[in-house]
Amino acid sequence: HSFLNENRKDSPLATPNGIIHSFFTDRLRPSLLFVEFAEALCFDERLLLDLILSSETRALEYLLWILRTAPPFPIPCTEVEAAKFELSREELTGEMLRRLKDSVVRAHNHGLFPYNPRALINRFDLYFSCTGA
């Protein structure tokens, strides 16, 4: 018999408070993983824009999924506020998403998008309506 027998009622895998459940809910939350991803991009919306424009990645699909499922990241009220205070990683992520939306809208208005980003812009609008930004 295995120590982590999934069929046992007292197994760490079988209970919501088990070790494995705790690992996944505490460390592998989609919003936390996206913050890690944003940090790996140095919170640079231009890098994320390049990724969502590429037909060789699934970054657009991932971004749409994050905007649909993740709780809103806090966003500083103004750019002055963002520059004045040291922001948390979550705030930096929210600010990156706001700048990304602005970049997408500008590129779309100038006819520079290789596809119609209306669904992405609508998803951004819904997402930011939840944050009050």
Side-chain angles (χ1 to χ4, degrees):
H1 293 278
S2 168
F3 176 73
L4 295 178
N5 184 344
E6 294 180 40
N7 297 324
R8 290 181 35 198
K9 296 224 184 265
D10 61 342
S11 165
L13 296 174
T15 63
N17 295 324
I19 298 165
I20 304 299
H21 182 270
S22 174
F23 174 79
F24 283 105
T25 57
D26 292 344
R27 292 180 185 87
L28 295 179
R29 291 181 307 212
S31 58
L32 181 58
L33 290 174
F34 187 74
V35 169
E36 295 287 334
F37 177 63
E39 188 173 37
L41 297 176
C42 299
F43 305 102
D44 188 340
E45 77 283 357
R46 294 167 300 177
L47 292 174
L48 187 51
L49 181 61
D50 285 345
L51 289 171
I52 66 172
L53 287 174
S54 172
S55 62
E56 298 176 6
T57 73
R58 296 182 70 182
L60 176 60
E61 182 181 343
Y62 177 54
L63 178 61
L64 288 168
W65 181 76
I66 285 294
L67 292 172
R68 186 175 62 249
T69 61
F73 297 102
I75 298 175
C77 295
T78 66
E79 288 185 32
V80 172
E81 181 183 329
K84 190 175 180 181
F85 301 104
E86 188 170 320
L87 302 178
S88 71
R89 290 172 0 140
E90 290 80 9
E91 289 170 321
L92 288 167
T93 300
E95 183 61 27
M96 178 191 74
L97 288 173
R98 183 169 63 175
R99 290 189 316 266
L100 178 62
K101 180 200 177 209
D102 292 344
S103 295
V104 169
V105 169
R106 270 194 314 275
H108 177 57
N109 289 341
H110 288 92
L112 301 175
F113 241 77
Y115 57 85
N116 186 345
R118 194 79 234 142
L120 177 59
I121 294 169
N122 289 342
R123 182 57 59 188
F124 271 125
D125 289 342
L126 283 170
Y127 180 82
F128 289 124
S129 71
C130 295
T131 66

